PDB file of all heavy atoms in Angstrom:
ATOM      1  N   LEU K 341      21.748  21.067  -5.461  1.00  0.00           N
ATOM      2  CA  LEU K 341      21.280  21.871  -4.348  1.00  0.00           C
ATOM      3  C   LEU K 341      19.918  21.444  -3.877  1.00  0.00           C
ATOM      4  O   LEU K 341      19.756  21.352  -2.560  1.00  0.00           O
ATOM      5  CB  LEU K 341      21.162  23.278  -4.900  1.00  0.00           C
ATOM      6  CG  LEU K 341      20.950  24.464  -3.815  1.00  0.00           C
ATOM      7  CD1 LEU K 341      22.295  24.666  -3.067  1.00  0.00           C
ATOM      8  CD2 LEU K 341      20.536  25.698  -4.443  1.00  0.00           C
ATOM      9  N   PHE K 342      18.970  21.082  -4.689  1.00  0.00           N
ATOM     10  CA  PHE K 342      17.618  20.678  -4.319  1.00  0.00           C
ATOM     11  C   PHE K 342      17.668  19.304  -3.678  1.00  0.00           C
ATOM     12  O   PHE K 342      16.944  19.011  -2.743  1.00  0.00           O
ATOM     13  CB  PHE K 342      16.653  20.749  -5.576  1.00  0.00           C
ATOM     14  CG  PHE K 342      16.531  22.120  -6.075  1.00  0.00           C
ATOM     15  CD1 PHE K 342      16.279  22.296  -7.405  1.00  0.00           C
ATOM     16  CD2 PHE K 342      16.606  23.288  -5.271  1.00  0.00           C
ATOM     17  CE1 PHE K 342      16.123  23.612  -7.956  1.00  0.00           C
ATOM     18  CE2 PHE K 342      16.409  24.586  -5.779  1.00  0.00           C
ATOM     19  CZ  PHE K 342      16.187  24.699  -7.118  1.00  0.00           C
ATOM     20  N   VAL K 343      18.506  18.455  -4.204  1.00  0.00           N
ATOM     21  CA  VAL K 343      18.573  17.086  -3.627  1.00  0.00           C
ATOM     22  C   VAL K 343      19.132  17.139  -2.202  1.00  0.00           C
ATOM     23  O   VAL K 343      18.534  16.502  -1.298  1.00  0.00           O
ATOM     24  CB  VAL K 343      19.495  16.209  -4.547  1.00  0.00           C
ATOM     25  CG1 VAL K 343      19.854  14.899  -3.769  1.00  0.00           C
ATOM     26  CG2 VAL K 343      18.758  15.765  -5.791  1.00  0.00           C
ATOM     27  N   TYR K 344      20.208  17.853  -1.988  1.00  0.00           N
ATOM     28  CA  TYR K 344      20.810  17.768  -0.674  1.00  0.00           C
ATOM     29  C   TYR K 344      19.991  18.688   0.319  1.00  0.00           C
ATOM     30  O   TYR K 344      20.040  18.444   1.550  1.00  0.00           O
ATOM     31  CB  TYR K 344      22.223  18.181  -0.697  1.00  0.00           C
ATOM     32  CG  TYR K 344      23.170  17.169  -1.300  1.00  0.00           C
ATOM     33  CD1 TYR K 344      23.553  17.218  -2.644  1.00  0.00           C
ATOM     34  CD2 TYR K 344      23.446  15.973  -0.519  1.00  0.00           C
ATOM     35  CE1 TYR K 344      24.294  16.214  -3.203  1.00  0.00           C
ATOM     36  CE2 TYR K 344      24.192  14.976  -1.140  1.00  0.00           C
ATOM     37  CZ  TYR K 344      24.637  15.055  -2.400  1.00  0.00           C
ATOM     38  OH  TYR K 344      25.343  14.113  -3.005  1.00  0.00           O
ATOM     39  N   PHE K 345      19.254  19.688  -0.164  1.00  0.00           N
ATOM     40  CA  PHE K 345      18.332  20.429   0.652  1.00  0.00           C
ATOM     41  C   PHE K 345      17.279  19.370   1.153  1.00  0.00           C
ATOM     42  O   PHE K 345      16.908  19.393   2.357  1.00  0.00           O
ATOM     43  CB  PHE K 345      17.596  21.405  -0.233  1.00  0.00           C
ATOM     44  CG  PHE K 345      16.390  22.078   0.410  1.00  0.00           C
ATOM     45  CD1 PHE K 345      16.549  23.165   1.287  1.00  0.00           C
ATOM     46  CD2 PHE K 345      15.127  21.556   0.235  1.00  0.00           C
ATOM     47  CE1 PHE K 345      15.467  23.822   1.835  1.00  0.00           C
ATOM     48  CE2 PHE K 345      13.999  22.151   0.787  1.00  0.00           C
ATOM     49  CZ  PHE K 345      14.125  23.287   1.617  1.00  0.00           C
ATOM     50  N   SER K 346      16.733  18.443   0.309  1.00  0.00           N
ATOM     51  CA  SER K 346      15.738  17.546   0.719  1.00  0.00           C
ATOM     52  C   SER K 346      16.333  16.453   1.690  1.00  0.00           C
ATOM     53  O   SER K 346      15.716  15.996   2.581  1.00  0.00           O
ATOM     54  CB  SER K 346      15.187  16.831  -0.548  1.00  0.00           C
ATOM     55  OG  SER K 346      14.679  17.795  -1.451  1.00  0.00           O
ATOM     56  N   VAL K 347      17.607  16.110   1.381  1.00  0.00           N
ATOM     57  CA  VAL K 347      18.221  15.157   2.309  1.00  0.00           C
ATOM     58  C   VAL K 347      18.316  15.677   3.721  1.00  0.00           C
ATOM     59  O   VAL K 347      18.025  15.045   4.767  1.00  0.00           O
ATOM     60  CB  VAL K 347      19.645  14.750   1.765  1.00  0.00           C
ATOM     61  CG1 VAL K 347      20.506  14.022   2.853  1.00  0.00           C
ATOM     62  CG2 VAL K 347      19.583  13.994   0.581  1.00  0.00           C
ATOM     63  N   PHE K 348      18.673  16.955   3.833  1.00  0.00           N
ATOM     64  CA  PHE K 348      18.787  17.638   5.153  1.00  0.00           C
ATOM     65  C   PHE K 348      17.518  17.534   5.900  1.00  0.00           C
ATOM     66  O   PHE K 348      17.457  17.121   7.088  1.00  0.00           O
ATOM     67  CB  PHE K 348      19.327  19.027   4.988  1.00  0.00           C
ATOM     68  CG  PHE K 348      19.201  19.880   6.285  1.00  0.00           C
ATOM     69  CD1 PHE K 348      20.231  19.600   7.281  1.00  0.00           C
ATOM     70  CD2 PHE K 348      18.185  20.769   6.493  1.00  0.00           C
ATOM     71  CE1 PHE K 348      20.072  20.337   8.536  1.00  0.00           C
ATOM     72  CE2 PHE K 348      18.186  21.489   7.671  1.00  0.00           C
ATOM     73  CZ  PHE K 348      19.067  21.258   8.681  1.00  0.00           C
ATOM     74  N   TRP K 349      16.420  17.957   5.308  1.00  0.00           N
ATOM     75  CA  TRP K 349      15.102  17.996   6.031  1.00  0.00           C
ATOM     76  C   TRP K 349      14.570  16.633   6.274  1.00  0.00           C
ATOM     77  O   TRP K 349      13.832  16.490   7.283  1.00  0.00           O
ATOM     78  CB  TRP K 349      14.120  18.902   5.189  1.00  0.00           C
ATOM     79  CG  TRP K 349      14.477  20.440   5.324  1.00  0.00           C
ATOM     80  CD1 TRP K 349      15.029  21.164   4.343  1.00  0.00           C
ATOM     81  CD2 TRP K 349      14.449  21.193   6.509  1.00  0.00           C
ATOM     82  NE1 TRP K 349      15.300  22.453   4.837  1.00  0.00           N
ATOM     83  CE2 TRP K 349      14.893  22.488   6.190  1.00  0.00           C
ATOM     84  CE3 TRP K 349      14.091  20.955   7.810  1.00  0.00           C
ATOM     85  CZ2 TRP K 349      15.017  23.478   7.085  1.00  0.00           C
ATOM     86  CZ3 TRP K 349      14.163  21.973   8.721  1.00  0.00           C
ATOM     87  CH2 TRP K 349      14.653  23.280   8.341  1.00  0.00           C
ATOM     88  N   SER K 350      14.889  15.715   5.432  1.00  0.00           N
ATOM     89  CA  SER K 350      14.487  14.345   5.683  1.00  0.00           C
ATOM     90  C   SER K 350      15.184  13.771   6.947  1.00  0.00           C
ATOM     91  O   SER K 350      14.581  13.127   7.802  1.00  0.00           O
ATOM     92  CB  SER K 350      14.783  13.406   4.476  1.00  0.00           C
ATOM     93  OG  SER K 350      14.601  12.021   4.799  1.00  0.00           O
ATOM     94  N   GLU K 351      16.434  14.093   7.041  1.00  0.00           N
ATOM     95  CA  GLU K 351      17.244  13.627   8.265  1.00  0.00           C
ATOM     96  C   GLU K 351      16.760  14.376   9.551  1.00  0.00           C
ATOM     97  O   GLU K 351      16.778  13.820  10.609  1.00  0.00           O
ATOM     98  CB  GLU K 351      18.701  13.842   8.065  1.00  0.00           C
ATOM     99  CG  GLU K 351      19.266  12.945   6.964  1.00  0.00           C
ATOM    100  CD  GLU K 351      19.003  11.457   7.272  1.00  0.00           C
ATOM    101  OE1 GLU K 351      19.055  11.053   8.404  1.00  0.00           O
ATOM    102  OE2 GLU K 351      18.683  10.721   6.334  1.00  0.00           O
ATOM    103  N   VAL K 352      16.413  15.710   9.366  1.00  0.00           N
ATOM    104  CA  VAL K 352      15.852  16.416  10.508  1.00  0.00           C
ATOM    105  C   VAL K 352      14.529  15.685  11.038  1.00  0.00           C
ATOM    106  O   VAL K 352      14.349  15.455  12.209  1.00  0.00           O
ATOM    107  CB  VAL K 352      15.508  17.813  10.115  1.00  0.00           C
ATOM    108  CG1 VAL K 352      14.746  18.519  11.246  1.00  0.00           C
ATOM    109  CG2 VAL K 352      16.820  18.643   9.983  1.00  0.00           C
ATOM    110  N   GLY K 353      13.670  15.337  10.034  1.00  0.00           N
ATOM    111  CA  GLY K 353      12.419  14.642  10.373  1.00  0.00           C
ATOM    112  C   GLY K 353      12.711  13.297  11.030  1.00  0.00           C
ATOM    113  O   GLY K 353      12.069  12.931  12.092  1.00  0.00           O
ATOM    114  N   ARG K 354      13.696  12.625  10.524  1.00  0.00           N
ATOM    115  CA  ARG K 354      14.054  11.274  11.088  1.00  0.00           C
ATOM    116  C   ARG K 354      14.552  11.370  12.519  1.00  0.00           C
ATOM    117  O   ARG K 354      14.238  10.481  13.297  1.00  0.00           O
ATOM    118  CB  ARG K 354      15.027  10.549  10.184  1.00  0.00           C
ATOM    119  CG  ARG K 354      15.334   9.163  10.606  1.00  0.00           C
ATOM    120  CD  ARG K 354      16.259   8.450   9.549  1.00  0.00           C
ATOM    121  NE  ARG K 354      15.466   8.021   8.430  1.00  0.00           N
ATOM    122  CZ  ARG K 354      15.610   8.597   7.148  1.00  0.00           C
ATOM    123  NH1 ARG K 354      16.578   9.457   7.017  1.00  0.00           N
ATOM    124  NH2 ARG K 354      14.940   8.299   6.212  1.00  0.00           N
ATOM    125  N   ARG K 355      15.261  12.351  12.717  1.00  0.00           N
ATOM    126  CA  ARG K 355      15.910  12.608  14.135  1.00  0.00           C
ATOM    127  C   ARG K 355      14.790  13.013  15.086  1.00  0.00           C
ATOM    128  O   ARG K 355      14.865  12.485  16.233  1.00  0.00           O
ATOM    129  CB  ARG K 355      16.985  13.589  14.060  1.00  0.00           C
ATOM    130  CG  ARG K 355      17.565  13.918  15.454  1.00  0.00           C
ATOM    131  CD  ARG K 355      18.937  14.525  15.354  1.00  0.00           C
ATOM    132  NE  ARG K 355      19.923  13.613  14.702  1.00  0.00           N
ATOM    133  CZ  ARG K 355      21.229  13.777  14.625  1.00  0.00           C
ATOM    134  NH1 ARG K 355      21.712  14.931  15.120  1.00  0.00           N
ATOM    135  NH2 ARG K 355      22.011  12.967  13.930  1.00  0.00           N
ATOM    136  N   PHE K 356      13.857  13.812  14.746  1.00  0.00           N
ATOM    137  CA  PHE K 356      12.912  14.356  15.661  1.00  0.00           C
ATOM    138  C   PHE K 356      11.564  13.608  15.721  1.00  0.00           C
ATOM    139  O   PHE K 356      10.892  13.619  16.706  1.00  0.00           O
ATOM    140  CB  PHE K 356      12.709  15.830  15.464  1.00  0.00           C
ATOM    141  CG  PHE K 356      13.783  16.621  15.839  1.00  0.00           C
ATOM    142  CD1 PHE K 356      14.743  17.155  14.815  1.00  0.00           C
ATOM    143  CD2 PHE K 356      14.084  17.044  17.120  1.00  0.00           C
ATOM    144  CE1 PHE K 356      15.812  17.917  15.197  1.00  0.00           C
ATOM    145  CE2 PHE K 356      15.262  17.778  17.478  1.00  0.00           C
ATOM    146  CZ  PHE K 356      16.054  18.269  16.509  1.00  0.00           C
ATOM    147  N   PHE K 357      11.282  12.990  14.564  1.00  0.00           N
ATOM    148  CA  PHE K 357       9.955  12.293  14.548  1.00  0.00           C
ATOM    149  C   PHE K 357      10.030  10.754  14.336  1.00  0.00           C
ATOM    150  O   PHE K 357       9.014  10.128  14.253  1.00  0.00           O
ATOM    151  CB  PHE K 357       9.158  12.937  13.477  1.00  0.00           C
ATOM    152  CG  PHE K 357       8.605  14.329  13.641  1.00  0.00           C
ATOM    153  CD1 PHE K 357       9.461  15.463  13.290  1.00  0.00           C
ATOM    154  CD2 PHE K 357       7.446  14.601  14.336  1.00  0.00           C
ATOM    155  CE1 PHE K 357       9.066  16.712  13.561  1.00  0.00           C
ATOM    156  CE2 PHE K 357       7.062  15.918  14.592  1.00  0.00           C
ATOM    157  CZ  PHE K 357       7.846  16.973  14.247  1.00  0.00           C
ATOM    158  N   LYS K 358      11.238  10.346  14.096  1.00  0.00           N
ATOM    159  CA  LYS K 358      11.526   8.879  13.855  1.00  0.00           C
ATOM    160  C   LYS K 358      10.590   8.313  12.834  1.00  0.00           C
ATOM    161  O   LYS K 358      10.748   8.510  11.662  1.00  0.00           O
ATOM    162  CB  LYS K 358      11.484   8.236  15.272  1.00  0.00           C
ATOM    163  CG  LYS K 358      12.507   8.699  16.236  1.00  0.00           C
ATOM    164  CD  LYS K 358      12.478   7.908  17.553  1.00  0.00           C
ATOM    165  CE  LYS K 358      13.536   8.562  18.476  1.00  0.00           C
ATOM    166  NZ  LYS K 358      13.540   7.897  19.759  1.00  0.00           N
ATOM    167  N   GLN K 359       9.639   7.492  13.246  1.00  0.00           N
ATOM    168  CA  GLN K 359       8.796   6.791  12.239  1.00  0.00           C
ATOM    169  C   GLN K 359       7.892   7.736  11.506  1.00  0.00           C
ATOM    170  O   GLN K 359       7.378   7.293  10.487  1.00  0.00           O
ATOM    171  CB  GLN K 359       7.949   5.704  13.035  1.00  0.00           C
ATOM    172  CG  GLN K 359       8.798   4.591  13.576  1.00  0.00           C
ATOM    173  CD  GLN K 359       8.003   3.528  14.273  1.00  0.00           C
ATOM    174  OE1 GLN K 359       6.761   3.610  14.377  1.00  0.00           O
ATOM    175  NE2 GLN K 359       8.595   2.403  14.702  1.00  0.00           N
ATOM    176  N   LYS K 360       7.737   8.939  11.951  1.00  0.00           N
ATOM    177  CA  LYS K 360       6.884   9.894  11.245  1.00  0.00           C
ATOM    178  C   LYS K 360       7.796  11.026  10.571  1.00  0.00           C
ATOM    179  O   LYS K 360       7.500  12.130  10.589  1.00  0.00           O
ATOM    180  CB  LYS K 360       5.875  10.532  12.202  1.00  0.00           C
ATOM    181  CG  LYS K 360       4.914   9.601  12.814  1.00  0.00           C
ATOM    182  CD  LYS K 360       3.804   9.039  11.755  1.00  0.00           C
ATOM    183  CE  LYS K 360       2.814   8.161  12.408  1.00  0.00           C
ATOM    184  NZ  LYS K 360       1.875   7.628  11.363  1.00  0.00           N
ATOM    185  N   SER K 361       8.924  10.536  10.150  1.00  0.00           N
ATOM    186  CA  SER K 361       9.820  11.557   9.612  1.00  0.00           C
ATOM    187  C   SER K 361       9.323  12.322   8.331  1.00  0.00           C
ATOM    188  O   SER K 361       9.811  13.424   8.116  1.00  0.00           O
ATOM    189  CB  SER K 361      11.150  10.772   9.268  1.00  0.00           C
ATOM    190  OG  SER K 361      10.877   9.896   8.146  1.00  0.00           O
ATOM    191  N   SER K 362       8.393  11.740   7.684  1.00  0.00           N
ATOM    192  CA  SER K 362       7.842  12.431   6.491  1.00  0.00           C
ATOM    193  C   SER K 362       7.107  13.724   6.801  1.00  0.00           C
ATOM    194  O   SER K 362       6.951  14.588   5.992  1.00  0.00           O
ATOM    195  CB  SER K 362       6.833  11.557   5.747  1.00  0.00           C
ATOM    196  OG  SER K 362       5.791  11.115   6.537  1.00  0.00           O
ATOM    197  N   VAL K 363       6.789  13.854   8.103  1.00  0.00           N
ATOM    198  CA  VAL K 363       6.049  15.050   8.565  1.00  0.00           C
ATOM    199  C   VAL K 363       6.841  16.308   8.158  1.00  0.00           C
ATOM    200  O   VAL K 363       6.243  17.312   7.630  1.00  0.00           O
ATOM    201  CB  VAL K 363       5.725  14.991  10.023  1.00  0.00           C
ATOM    202  CG1 VAL K 363       5.193  16.299  10.511  1.00  0.00           C
ATOM    203  CG2 VAL K 363       4.633  13.813  10.393  1.00  0.00           C
ATOM    204  N   VAL K 364       8.036  16.279   8.512  1.00  0.00           N
ATOM    205  CA  VAL K 364       8.935  17.548   8.229  1.00  0.00           C
ATOM    206  C   VAL K 364       8.955  17.877   6.775  1.00  0.00           C
ATOM    207  O   VAL K 364       8.797  19.053   6.351  1.00  0.00           O
ATOM    208  CB  VAL K 364      10.318  17.310   8.830  1.00  0.00           C
ATOM    209  CG1 VAL K 364      11.208  18.461   8.379  1.00  0.00           C
ATOM    210  CG2 VAL K 364      10.295  17.354  10.358  1.00  0.00           C
ATOM    211  N   CYS K 365       9.157  16.822   5.961  1.00  0.00           N
ATOM    212  CA  CYS K 365       9.256  17.071   4.475  1.00  0.00           C
ATOM    213  C   CYS K 365       7.930  17.633   3.947  1.00  0.00           C
ATOM    214  O   CYS K 365       7.903  18.481   3.014  1.00  0.00           O
ATOM    215  CB  CYS K 365       9.690  15.844   3.742  1.00  0.00           C
ATOM    216  SG  CYS K 365      11.347  15.304   4.047  1.00  0.00           S
ATOM    217  N   ILE K 366       6.798  17.069   4.429  1.00  0.00           N
ATOM    218  CA  ILE K 366       5.477  17.558   4.021  1.00  0.00           C
ATOM    219  C   ILE K 366       5.312  19.092   4.401  1.00  0.00           C
ATOM    220  O   ILE K 366       4.846  19.877   3.637  1.00  0.00           O
ATOM    221  CB  ILE K 366       4.384  16.710   4.669  1.00  0.00           C
ATOM    222  CG1 ILE K 366       4.405  15.280   4.029  1.00  0.00           C
ATOM    223  CG2 ILE K 366       3.019  17.303   4.440  1.00  0.00           C
ATOM    224  CD1 ILE K 366       3.436  14.356   4.728  1.00  0.00           C
ATOM    225  N   ILE K 367       5.731  19.445   5.607  1.00  0.00           N
ATOM    226  CA  ILE K 367       5.665  20.775   6.059  1.00  0.00           C
ATOM    227  C   ILE K 367       6.466  21.711   5.233  1.00  0.00           C
ATOM    228  O   ILE K 367       6.082  22.742   4.849  1.00  0.00           O
ATOM    229  CB  ILE K 367       5.979  20.874   7.614  1.00  0.00           C
ATOM    230  CG1 ILE K 367       4.987  20.125   8.440  1.00  0.00           C
ATOM    231  CG2 ILE K 367       6.142  22.323   7.979  1.00  0.00           C
ATOM    232  CD1 ILE K 367       5.357  20.024   9.942  1.00  0.00           C
ATOM    233  N   ILE K 368       7.776  21.249   4.947  1.00  0.00           N
ATOM    234  CA  ILE K 368       8.622  22.063   4.145  1.00  0.00           C
ATOM    235  C   ILE K 368       8.099  22.248   2.674  1.00  0.00           C
ATOM    236  O   ILE K 368       8.043  23.399   2.178  1.00  0.00           O
ATOM    237  CB  ILE K 368      10.057  21.415   4.014  1.00  0.00           C
ATOM    238  CG1 ILE K 368      10.728  21.484   5.363  1.00  0.00           C
ATOM    239  CG2 ILE K 368      10.846  22.100   2.931  1.00  0.00           C
ATOM    240  CD1 ILE K 368      11.011  22.825   5.863  1.00  0.00           C
ATOM    241  N   ALA K 369       7.471  21.245   2.157  1.00  0.00           N
ATOM    242  CA  ALA K 369       6.912  21.367   0.823  1.00  0.00           C
ATOM    243  C   ALA K 369       5.727  22.296   0.826  1.00  0.00           C
ATOM    244  O   ALA K 369       5.585  23.210  -0.068  1.00  0.00           O
ATOM    245  CB  ALA K 369       6.443  19.992   0.316  1.00  0.00           C
ATOM    246  N   MET K 370       4.920  22.248   1.865  1.00  0.00           N
ATOM    247  CA  MET K 370       3.710  23.127   1.990  1.00  0.00           C
ATOM    248  C   MET K 370       4.190  24.580   2.152  1.00  0.00           C
ATOM    249  O   MET K 370       3.600  25.467   1.580  1.00  0.00           O
ATOM    250  CB  MET K 370       2.856  22.670   3.164  1.00  0.00           C
ATOM    251  CG  MET K 370       2.125  21.375   2.911  1.00  0.00           C
ATOM    252  SD  MET K 370       1.202  20.882   4.366  1.00  0.00           S
ATOM    253  CE  MET K 370       0.054  22.253   4.513  1.00  0.00           C
ATOM    254  N   LEU K 371       5.230  24.788   3.004  1.00  0.00           N
ATOM    255  CA  LEU K 371       5.708  26.096   3.203  1.00  0.00           C
ATOM    256  C   LEU K 371       6.269  26.793   1.873  1.00  0.00           C
ATOM    257  O   LEU K 371       6.057  27.909   1.608  1.00  0.00           O
ATOM    258  CB  LEU K 371       6.698  26.202   4.369  1.00  0.00           C
ATOM    259  CG  LEU K 371       6.179  25.960   5.766  1.00  0.00           C
ATOM    260  CD1 LEU K 371       7.376  25.825   6.717  1.00  0.00           C
ATOM    261  CD2 LEU K 371       5.236  27.026   6.177  1.00  0.00           C
ATOM    262  N   LEU K 372       7.010  25.903   1.218  1.00  0.00           N
ATOM    263  CA  LEU K 372       7.630  26.418  -0.061  1.00  0.00           C
ATOM    264  C   LEU K 372       6.488  26.864  -1.013  1.00  0.00           C
ATOM    265  O   LEU K 372       6.567  27.836  -1.716  1.00  0.00           O
ATOM    266  CB  LEU K 372       8.519  25.360  -0.690  1.00  0.00           C
ATOM    267  CG  LEU K 372       9.865  25.020   0.095  1.00  0.00           C
ATOM    268  CD1 LEU K 372      10.624  23.887  -0.636  1.00  0.00           C
ATOM    269  CD2 LEU K 372      10.737  26.242   0.195  1.00  0.00           C
ATOM    270  N   TYR K 373       5.470  25.945  -1.157  1.00  0.00           N
ATOM    271  CA  TYR K 373       4.397  26.123  -2.100  1.00  0.00           C
ATOM    272  C   TYR K 373       3.541  27.384  -1.618  1.00  0.00           C
ATOM    273  O   TYR K 373       3.342  28.219  -2.495  1.00  0.00           O
ATOM    274  CB  TYR K 373       3.543  24.875  -2.183  1.00  0.00           C
ATOM    275  CG  TYR K 373       2.315  25.001  -3.119  1.00  0.00           C
ATOM    276  CD1 TYR K 373       2.624  24.953  -4.537  1.00  0.00           C
ATOM    277  CD2 TYR K 373       1.124  25.372  -2.751  1.00  0.00           C
ATOM    278  CE1 TYR K 373       1.586  25.127  -5.430  1.00  0.00           C
ATOM    279  CE2 TYR K 373       0.117  25.581  -3.587  1.00  0.00           C
ATOM    280  CZ  TYR K 373       0.327  25.396  -4.936  1.00  0.00           C
ATOM    281  OH  TYR K 373      -0.770  25.593  -5.841  1.00  0.00           O
ATOM    282  N   LEU K 374       3.092  27.379  -0.455  1.00  0.00           N
ATOM    283  CA  LEU K 374       2.195  28.440  -0.005  1.00  0.00           C
ATOM    284  C   LEU K 374       2.966  29.757   0.012  1.00  0.00           C
ATOM    285  O   LEU K 374       2.370  30.908  -0.262  1.00  0.00           O
ATOM    286  CB  LEU K 374       1.671  28.116   1.389  1.00  0.00           C
ATOM    287  CG  LEU K 374       0.755  26.901   1.528  1.00  0.00           C
ATOM    288  CD1 LEU K 374       0.331  26.618   2.950  1.00  0.00           C
ATOM    289  CD2 LEU K 374      -0.488  27.185   0.656  1.00  0.00           C
ATOM    290  N   GLY K 375       4.173  29.820   0.310  1.00  0.00           N
ATOM    291  CA  GLY K 375       4.992  31.017   0.405  1.00  0.00           C
ATOM    292  C   GLY K 375       5.534  31.425  -1.015  1.00  0.00           C
ATOM    293  O   GLY K 375       5.985  32.544  -1.148  1.00  0.00           O
TER     294      GLY K 375
END
Side-chain angles (χ1 to χ4, degrees):
L341 189 76
F342 296 148
V343 164
Y344 288 103
F345 169 88
S346 303
V347 168
F348 170 74
W349 288 109
S350 173
E351 292 305 318
V352 168
R354 183 171 288 112
R355 175 159 297 188
F356 289 100
F357 292 90
K358 296 182 181 179
Q359 294 183 353
K360 298 290 183 179
S361 60
S362 60
V363 170
V364 169
C365 289
I366 293 172
I367 292 173
I368 291 296
M370 291 177 62
L371 290 174
L372 292 176
Y373 179 80
L374 294 175

